[in-house]
Amino acid sequence: MPLYFNKKDMGKPKVTPEEKFPELFAVNRKIDRRTHSMWEALKMLGYVDCYHTLIDPCDNDMWLDAINGKFFGGRPFSKTEWDQLLGHCQAVSDFPACAFAPELIKAYPDAKVILTNRPVDAWYKSCIGTIRRSMTSPLLYFIGFFDTEVLGKWTPMTRALFKAVFDDDFEKNGKQVYVDQYETVRSLVPKDQLFEYQIGEGWDRLCDFLEVDKPPYPYPVTNEGAAFQERNRLRLQLALQRGLPNILMTASVVAAGLAIGSKMVGCW
């Protein structure tokens, strides 16, 4: 559910996520052309700085602050915080921004909003087989314990958001939350600023809504579960590489402790 921001709202990072985690962005460039179809379509239409948390790993701490502020008694974000987090973007799409649709619509009342319509059962099945599955992976938690910069921050942020949005029970509440979310957005956005995109319909109506020229190439394909799993596999591999020094340090400390313990037992 991308929301579009005016370029006048720009302002942000001295160090970009791509500069901090170039290898992670290399993975995204390799995989994401097959996935996140609306995100990719927007980039093809000239919205170069199109935000998605899976490609902006530096912001997990701030998203967790936003979650706590909205759902768990913290201080809700004002436009100042949203500008700090998203003000440099031309567009923002998907998770976790979609959980803050009312707040973003209020903060950026002139934004154009696109709802990507998808049958609720298909969306639910996709979530169960992709992000929900990855969230319950023991391997993800193990590697995240050592990869403190990216995966170790993404995991608690994601869990907190799912707990808040789906009342800690995605399997039971997921479909109704999905339906309610769409109705909320429809009720908040003026009709001339809202476009409901039907999955698979191509460029024509989207380009008319955004007032841009139709590209000479096909619209990107829709999300594929296999592509999501491949992206996760590569991200876990990179996370393991980033966490390897911590793993080795932990192993060394444990080994040293066992050695000292063994000597002490021998002395007794």
Side-chain angles (χ1 to χ4, degrees):
M1 188 191 67
L3 288 85
Y4 300 88
F5 303 93
N6 299 327
K7 291 183 179 180
K8 66 182 180 181
D9 286 321
M10 294 175 71
K12 171 154 165 164
K14 297 179 180 178
V15 178
T16 67
E18 185 163 10
E19 290 170 333
K20 190 170 183 180
F21 301 108
E23 79 288 352
L24 187 61
F25 278 72
V27 169
N28 284 318
R29 282 192 292 266
K30 179 180 178 182
I31 297 298
D32 279 339
R33 186 164 291 277
R34 296 181 295 163
T35 61
H36 304 312
S37 56
M38 180 58 72
W39 175 83
E40 182 65 34
L42 294 174
K43 293 183 66 178
M44 294 164 73
L45 291 174
Y47 294 86
V48 179
D49 201 339
C50 183
Y51 190 95
H52 192 302
T53 188
L54 292 178
I55 56 164
D56 287 303
C58 295
D59 294 332
N60 286 317
D61 287 338
M62 197 166 184
W63 278 115
L64 190 57
D65 287 342
I67 293 166
N68 288 331
K70 178 172 181 174
F71 298 104
F72 299 115
R75 185 171 65 84
F77 274 22
S78 67
K79 190 174 186 298
T80 299
E81 286 80 26
W82 289 122
D83 280 348
Q84 181 182 346
L85 181 59
L86 301 172
H88 65 295
C89 302
Q90 294 169 291
V92 56
S93 70
D94 216 291
F95 163 91
C98 58
F100 298 90
E103 291 79 8
L104 293 175
I105 291 167
K106 180 180 179 180
Y108 304 97
D110 296 328
K112 290 186 175 181
V113 178
I114 295 176
L115 284 175
T116 50
N117 278 303
R118 187 178 187 185
V120 63
D121 289 337
W123 169 84
Y124 179 82
K125 182 179 179 180
S126 175
C127 284
I128 288 291
T130 54
I131 189 168
R132 185 64 176 158
R133 179 181 175 184
S134 69
M135 285 172 57
T136 58
S137 168
L139 181 61
L140 182 144
Y141 288 105
F142 173 78
I143 298 178
F145 182 78
F146 296 101
D147 175 25
T148 57
E149 283 292 310
V150 179
L151 196 58
K153 293 183 178 180
W154 181 85
T155 302
M157 184 275 291
T158 306
R159 291 195 67 187
L161 187 64
F162 266 66
K163 179 179 180 180
V165 172
F166 301 107
D167 198 21
D168 208 19
D169 193 339
F170 178 81
E171 286 71 14
K172 176 183 177 182
N173 301 319
K175 293 182 181 181
Q176 188 59 53
V177 169
Y178 179 90
V179 172
D180 293 344
Q181 169 81 351
Y182 274 61
E183 291 304 315
T184 296
V185 173
R186 291 179 181 123
S187 71
L188 294 175
V189 181
K191 290 185 177 180
D192 62 338
Q193 293 175 223
L194 178 65
F195 174 64
E196 300 207 23
Y197 180 84
Q198 305 299 326
I199 296 297
E201 72 170 275
W203 290 114
D204 291 343
R205 292 199 312 129
L206 176 64
C207 291
D208 289 343
F209 175 70
L210 296 176
E211 301 180 276
V212 297
D213 294 331
K214 179 181 175 180
Y217 22 77
Y219 186 90
V221 297
T222 56
N223 277 326
E224 300 173 4
F228 181 94
Q229 299 302 339
E230 174 65 5
R231 185 175 65 248
N232 264 8
R233 185 188 68 80
L234 292 174
R235 283 197 175 117
L236 284 173
Q237 181 179 333
L238 291 172
L240 186 59
Q241 293 174 6
R242 286 190 299 268
L244 187 58
N246 291 334
I247 294 174
L248 293 176
M249 182 180 298
T250 301
S252 298
V253 171
V254 171
L258 290 174
I260 293 172
S262 177
K263 289 182 179 180
M264 292 178 65
V265 170
C267 291
W268 284 98

